[in-house]
Coordinates of all heavy atoms in Angstrom, one line a residue:
Chain Q
P147 N -7.3 25.8 -46.3 CA -8.4 25.1 -45.6 C -8.7 25.6 -44.1 O -7.7 26.0 -43.5 CB -8.2 23.6 -45.5 CG -7.0 23.5 -46.4 CD -6.3 24.7 -46.5
Q159 N -32.7 28.4 -23.9 CA -33.2 28.4 -22.6 C -32.6 27.3 -21.7 O -32.3 26.2 -22.2 CB -34.7 28.2 -22.7 CG -35.7 29.2 -23.3 CD -35.6 30.4 -22.4 OE1 -35.6 30.4 -21.1 NE2 -35.6 31.7 -23.0
G161 N -32.0 24.2 -19.5 CA -32.6 23.0 -19.5 C -32.9 22.4 -20.9 O -33.1 21.2 -21.0
I171 N -11.1 20.3 -41.0 CA -10.4 20.3 -42.2 C -10.4 18.8 -42.8 O -10.1 17.9 -42.0 CB -8.9 20.9 -42.0 CG1 -9.0 22.3 -41.7 CG2 -8.1 20.6 -43.3 CD1 -7.7 22.9 -41.3
Y176 N -7.7 14.1 -36.2 CA -8.0 14.3 -34.8 C -8.9 15.6 -34.6 O -8.7 16.6 -35.2 CB -6.7 14.6 -34.0 CG -6.0 13.4 -33.6 CD1 -5.2 12.7 -34.6 CD2 -6.0 12.8 -32.4 CE1 -4.5 11.5 -34.3 CE2 -5.3 11.6 -32.1 CZ -4.6 11.0 -33.0 OH -3.9 9.8 -32.8
R181 N -13.5 25.1 -24.5 CA -14.5 26.2 -24.3 C -13.8 27.3 -23.6 O -12.7 27.1 -22.9 CB -15.6 25.8 -23.5 CG -15.3 25.5 -22.0 CD -16.6 25.3 -21.2 NE -16.3 25.3 -19.8 CZ -17.1 24.9 -18.8 NH1 -18.3 24.4 -19.1 NH2 -16.7 24.8 -17.5
I183 N -15.0 30.3 -21.1 CA -15.9 31.2 -20.4 C -15.4 32.6 -20.3 O -14.2 32.8 -20.3 CB -16.2 30.6 -18.9 CG1 -16.8 29.2 -19.0 CG2 -17.0 31.6 -18.1 CD1 -16.9 28.6 -17.7
G185 N -13.7 35.8 -19.9 CA -12.7 36.4 -19.0 C -11.8 35.3 -18.4 O -11.0 35.5 -17.5
V188 N -8.9 29.4 -22.0 CA -9.4 28.4 -22.9 C -9.2 27.0 -22.2 O -8.0 26.7 -21.8 CB -8.7 28.5 -24.3 CG1 -9.2 27.4 -25.1 CG2 -9.0 29.9 -24.9
E189 N -10.2 26.2 -22.1 CA -10.3 24.9 -21.5 C -10.5 23.8 -22.4 O -11.4 23.8 -23.2 CB -11.2 24.8 -20.3 CG -11.1 26.0 -19.3 CD -12.3 25.9 -18.3 OE1 -13.3 26.2 -18.8 OE2 -12.1 25.5 -17.2
F194 N -11.0 13.5 -30.0 CA -11.7 12.4 -30.7 C -11.0 12.0 -31.9 O -10.4 12.8 -32.6 CB -13.1 13.0 -31.2 CG -14.1 12.0 -31.7 CD1 -15.0 11.5 -30.8 CD2 -14.3 11.9 -33.1 CE1 -16.0 10.6 -31.3 CE2 -15.3 10.9 -33.6 CZ -16.1 10.3 -32.7
Y195 N -10.8 10.7 -32.0 CA -10.0 10.1 -33.0 C -10.6 8.7 -33.3 O -10.9 7.9 -32.4 CB -8.5 9.9 -32.6 CG -7.7 9.2 -33.5 CD1 -7.4 9.6 -34.8 CD2 -7.2 7.8 -33.1 CE1 -6.6 8.8 -35.7 CE2 -6.4 7.1 -34.0 CZ -6.2 7.6 -35.3 OH -5.3 6.8 -36.1
Q209 N -23.3 15.1 -19.3 CA -24.2 16.1 -19.9 C -23.6 16.4 -21.3 O -24.4 16.9 -22.2 CB -24.1 17.5 -19.1 CG -24.9 18.6 -19.6 CD -24.5 19.9 -19.0 OE1 -23.5 20.0 -18.3 NE2 -25.2 21.0 -19.2
F210 N -22.4 16.1 -21.6 CA -21.8 16.3 -22.9 C -21.6 15.0 -23.7 O -21.4 13.9 -23.1 CB -20.3 16.9 -22.7 CG -20.5 18.2 -22.1 CD1 -20.3 18.4 -20.8 CD2 -20.5 19.4 -22.9 CE1 -20.3 19.7 -20.1 CE2 -20.5 20.7 -22.3 CZ -20.4 20.8 -20.9
V212 N -20.1 13.8 -27.9 CA -19.6 14.2 -29.2 C -19.9 13.1 -30.2 O -20.1 11.9 -29.8 CB -18.1 14.5 -29.3 CG1 -17.7 15.9 -28.4 CG2 -17.4 13.4 -28.7
P215 N -21.2 12.3 -37.1 CA -22.4 11.5 -37.7 C -22.2 11.2 -39.1 O -22.8 10.3 -39.6 CB -23.5 12.6 -37.5 CG -22.8 13.9 -37.5 CD -21.6 13.6 -36.8
G217 N -19.1 11.9 -42.7 CA -17.7 12.0 -43.0 C -17.1 13.4 -42.8 O -15.9 13.6 -42.9
A233 N -20.7 30.1 -22.8 CA -19.2 30.3 -23.1 C -19.0 30.3 -24.6 O -20.0 30.1 -25.4 CB -18.4 29.1 -22.4
E241 N -3.9 17.1 -38.2 CA -3.6 15.9 -39.1 C -3.3 14.7 -38.2 O -3.8 13.6 -38.5 CB -2.3 16.2 -39.9 CG -2.7 17.2 -41.1 CD -1.4 17.3 -42.0 OE1 -0.8 16.3 -42.4 OE2 -1.0 18.4 -42.2
P246 N 0.0 20.8 -35.2 CA -0.7 21.9 -34.7 C -2.2 21.9 -34.9 O -2.6 21.3 -36.0 CB -0.1 23.1 -35.5 CG 1.3 22.6 -35.9 CD 1.1 21.2 -36.1
H248 N -5.9 23.4 -35.6 CA -6.4 24.6 -36.3 C -7.7 24.8 -35.8 O -8.6 23.9 -35.7 CB -6.4 24.2 -37.9 CG -5.2 24.0 -38.6 ND1 -4.6 25.0 -39.3 CD2 -4.3 23.1 -38.4 CE1 -3.3 24.6 -39.7 NE2 -3.2 23.3 -39.2
F249 N -8.0 26.0 -35.4 CA -9.3 26.3 -34.7 C -10.3 27.0 -35.6 O -10.0 27.7 -36.6 CB -9.0 27.3 -33.5 CG -8.3 26.6 -32.4 CD1 -6.9 26.3 -32.3 CD2 -9.1 26.2 -31.2 CE1 -6.4 25.6 -31.3 CE2 -8.5 25.6 -30.2 CZ -7.1 25.3 -30.2
T253 N -18.3 29.2 -31.4 CA -19.7 29.4 -31.3 C -20.0 30.0 -29.9 O -19.6 29.4 -28.9 CB -20.7 28.1 -31.4 OG1 -20.5 27.6 -32.7 CG2 -22.1 28.4 -31.0

Side-chain angles (χ1 to χ4, degrees):
Chain Q
Q159 290 290 328
I171 294 173
Y176 281 79
R181 80 172 185 190
I183 295 171
V188 177
E189 302 172 289
F194 192 87
Y195 169 71
Q209 184 194 6
F210 295 88
V212 289
E241 286 184 51
H248 297 255
F249 284 79
T253 293

